Amino acid sequence: MKQVPFGALSAGLAVLGTALVAFAFQLRADGYEQYVQDVAYVAGTAYFTAIMTVVMWFRTDRPHSS
């Protein structure tokens, strides 16, 4: 089975989260307060998913003990 590109996936999710945080700050500066919380939630979800991807990456690299 081909190795899943965990590094690229987690990096992409972290970049997405960072872009969404910047977008939330821009929304707040432009006066769109009603959307800031939703965008910040999606950014947090992207960061959490990136962290869980890294955890999965380390767990799949460990040898299974039986």
Side-chain angles (χ1 to χ4, degrees):
M1 187 167 94
K2 189 175 179 181
Q3 178 72 13
V4 180
F6 289 111
L9 179 62
S10 61
L13 286 168
V15 168
L16 175 64
T18 304
L20 287 170
V21 167
F23 183 54
F25 281 125
Q26 187 63 43
L27 285 173
R28 180 166 287 167
D30 291 343
Y32 293 103
E33 289 287 329
Q34 67 268 24
Y35 302 115
V36 171
Q37 185 176 2
D38 295 332
V39 173
Y41 175 77
V42 174
T45 304
Y47 282 130
F48 178 76
T49 306
I51 291 169
M52 289 296 106
T53 303
V54 170
V55 169
M56 182 69 72
W57 186 6
F58 286 119
R59 288 182 55 95
T60 57
D61 282 344
R62 287 190 348 201
H64 299 287
S65 61
S66 296

